[in-house]
C-alpha cells in the first residue's frame, strides 16, 4: 500500500516538553483530510514537522513513500508538498497577477536552466491566468495585494500555494478570521482548486469539517487518536470523551 503522506511514530520535544508524542497517520493520495483537535494539541507543530520547518525529535515523515524529514522546506516543496504560510507568502507591493506568476516561476526556476526557464515564461503566464480564474480574482488582476480584502488575500494565498503544482497541500486554519459567508465561499474554492490533490487542512468550524472532509484526523495531546470517515469519527467513543462538551458532539448542525 502506498500513501501520499505518512507519519510514523513522530515525536517532537521543545526543551524538555514533549509536544508531539508518537503521532501516526497514513493519508492516501487524493484524500481530503480535516485535522481537528483542541488548541495546543500540536496541529500546527505537526504541519511544521511535515513541511520541514521543524525537525522531529524522532520518527519519520514520508511523502509518496519517500522519507522527507531532514530535508529543507524548499526541498520538500520541490518534491510536491506545499503549505500555506498565512500572509507571508504574498508580496504586498505586487499585483495579484504578478504574485501568482512569481509563485509559478519560482517553482519552475528550480527545475529548468535559465534558457529553458525563459522559454517557459509563456507557460507561466498562462498558468498564472488560470490560477487567477480558479481563485476568483480575475477582476482584481492588477490590484496590489496590499489593497485586497482579507478574504481576497487568503484566496490569493491559496493560488500561490497550489501554483507550484504540488500534489499534497497543507492549509493551517485557512478560514481563520473570515465571516460565515466568506468561509462557505472559501471552502468551495478550496474544494475546487484541490480536486485530485491530497489536502490536509486544520479547521475549527465543524460544519465545514463535516462538509469538506473525506477523513478526519483527531489530534489530542500530540497524538492522532482517530483517523476515519466523518461518520465513524463522530461515533468514536474516544473522540467523544476527548471532546466532551465541545463541537464534535453536536457537529451535525455545524459551526460554533
Ligand atoms: N517553537 C515552539 N517552542 C516551544 N513550544 C512550542 C513551540 N511551538 C509550539 N509550542 C507549544 O506546543 C504546543 C502545541 O502547539 P501547536 O502545535 O501550535 O498547537 P495547535 O496548532 O494544535 O493549537 C503548545 O503548547 C505550544 O505552546
Ligand atoms: Mg495551530
Amino acid at each position: 500500500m502506498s500513501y501520499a503522506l505518512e507519519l510514523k511514530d513522530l515525536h517532537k520535544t521543545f526543551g524538555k516538553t514533549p509536544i508531539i508524542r508518537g503521532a501516526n497517520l497514513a493519508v492516501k493520495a487524493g484524500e481530503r483530510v480535516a485535522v481537528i483537535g483542541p488548541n495546543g494539541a500540536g496541529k500546527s507543530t505537526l504541519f511544521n514537522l511535515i513541511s520541514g520547518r521543524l525537525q522531529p525529535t524522532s520518527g519519520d515523515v514520508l511523502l509518496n513513500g519517500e522519507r522527507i524529514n531532514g530535508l529543507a522546506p524548499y526541498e520538500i516543496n520541490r518534491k510536491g508538498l506545499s503549505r500555506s504560510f498565512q500572509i507571508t507568502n504574498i508580496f504586498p507591493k505586487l499585483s495579484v497577477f504578478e504574485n501568482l506568476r512569481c509563485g509559478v516561476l519560482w517553482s519552475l526556476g528550480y527545475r529548468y536552466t535559465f534558457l529553458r526557464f525563459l522559454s517557459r515564461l509563456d507557460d507561466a503566464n498562462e498558468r498564472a491566468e488560470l490560477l487567477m480564474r480558479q481563485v476568483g480574482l480575475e477582476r482584481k488582476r492588477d490590484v496590489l495585494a496590499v489593497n485586497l480584502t482579507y478574504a481576497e488575500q487568503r484566496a490569493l494565498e491559496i493560488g500561490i500555494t497550489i501554483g507550484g503544482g504540488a500534489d499534497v497541500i497543507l492549509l493551517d486554519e485557512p478560514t481563520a478570521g473570515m465571516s460565515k459567508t466568506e468561509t462557505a465561499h472559501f471552502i468551495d474554492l478550496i474544494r475546487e482548486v484541490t480536486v485530485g490533490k491530497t489536502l490536509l487542512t486544520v479547521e475549527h468550524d465543524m460544519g465545514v469539517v463535516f462538509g469538506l472532509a473525506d477523513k478526519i484526523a483527531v489530534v489530542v495531546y500530540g497524538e492522532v487518536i482517530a483517523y476515519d470517515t466523518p461518520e465513524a469519527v463522530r461515533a468514536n467513543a474516544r473522540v467523544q470523551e476527548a471532546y466532551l462538551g465541545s463541537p464534535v458532539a453536536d457537529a451535525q448542525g455545524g459551526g460554533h
Side-chain angles (χ1 to χ4, degrees):
M1 187 70 209
S2 73
Y3 295 99
L5 183 70
E6 277 177 276
L7 308 182
K8 291 191 166 174
D9 199 23
L10 209 58
H11 287 76
K12 180 64 181 179
T13 302
F14 289 120
K16 286 186 175 166
T17 314
I19 296 295
I20 302 301
R21 307 179 322 136
N24 289 284
L25 186 65
V27 178
K28 290 181 194 147
E31 278 184 334
R32 288 204 180 91
V33 181
V35 180
I36 67 171
N39 277 334
K43 303 180 295 297
S44 295
T45 303
L46 276 180
F47 276 21
N48 286 332
L49 292 168
I50 295 167
S51 63
R53 215 180 180 187
L54 292 173
Q55 294 301 320
T57 308
S58 65
D60 284 317
V61 180
L62 278 69
L63 181 66
N64 298 316
E66 184 187 347
R67 189 172 171 271
I68 57 166
N69 48 296
L71 299 182
Y74 79 89
E75 293 174 305
I76 293 172
N77 191 267
R78 295 300 145 252
K79 289 186 181 294
L81 184 140
S82 184
R83 178 200 169 157
S84 71
F85 278 107
Q86 299 284 323
I87 208 118
T88 52
N89 264 357
I90 295 174
F91 295 106
K93 294 292 178 59
L94 293 185
S95 71
V96 164
F97 181 75
E98 289 163 339
N99 262 286
L100 291 168
R101 192 172 53 172
C102 268
V104 174
L105 284 175
W106 189 76
S107 69
L108 289 178
Y110 276 88
R111 280 185 227 144
Y112 297 94
T113 62
F114 187 67
L115 283 176
R116 287 191 64 197
F117 175 82
L118 282 182
S119 73
R120 286 271 159 168
L121 275 178
D122 285 349
D123 291 3
N125 287 340
E126 266 176 42
R127 177 134 179 78
E129 295 281 359
L130 174 66
L131 283 167
M132 201 166 54
R133 285 196 298 277
Q134 282 185 302
V135 299
L137 289 175
E138 61 269 48
R139 278 179 303 161
K140 304 281 174 163
R141 188 183 197 284
D142 299 315
V143 175
L144 300 188
V146 68
N147 293 328
L148 296 173
T149 67
Y150 179 76
E152 288 166 348
Q153 289 180 342
R154 301 269 68 77
L156 178 58
E157 202 209 341
I158 297 286
I160 295 169
T161 304
I162 64 164
D167 55 16
V168 179
I169 307 290
L170 309 185
L171 305 175
D172 194 352
E173 303 195 29
T175 65
M178 288 188 188
S179 70
K180 269 276 181 220
T181 317
E182 286 171 334
T183 297
H185 173 73
F186 202 62
I187 292 299
D188 285 342
L189 187 154
I190 290 173
R191 194 181 283 117
E192 282 163 27
V193 300
T194 58
V195 166
K197 296 177 188 289
T198 308
L199 172 71
L200 279 79
T201 178
V202 176
E203 179 58 58
H204 289 295
D205 184 319
M206 288 301 148
V208 168
V209 167
F210 283 90
L212 177 72
D214 304 316
K215 292 277 186 69
I216 296 179
V218 186
V219 178
V220 176
Y221 201 24
E223 284 183 77
V224 183
I225 67 160
Y227 181 61
D228 217 326
T229 62
E231 296 70 33
V233 163
R234 197 187 285 131
N236 183 313
R238 210 177 155 198
V239 176
Q240 303 249 348
E241 196 180 318
Y243 265 98
L244 213 62
S246 76
V248 161
D250 58 316
Q252 186 87 63
H256 76 114

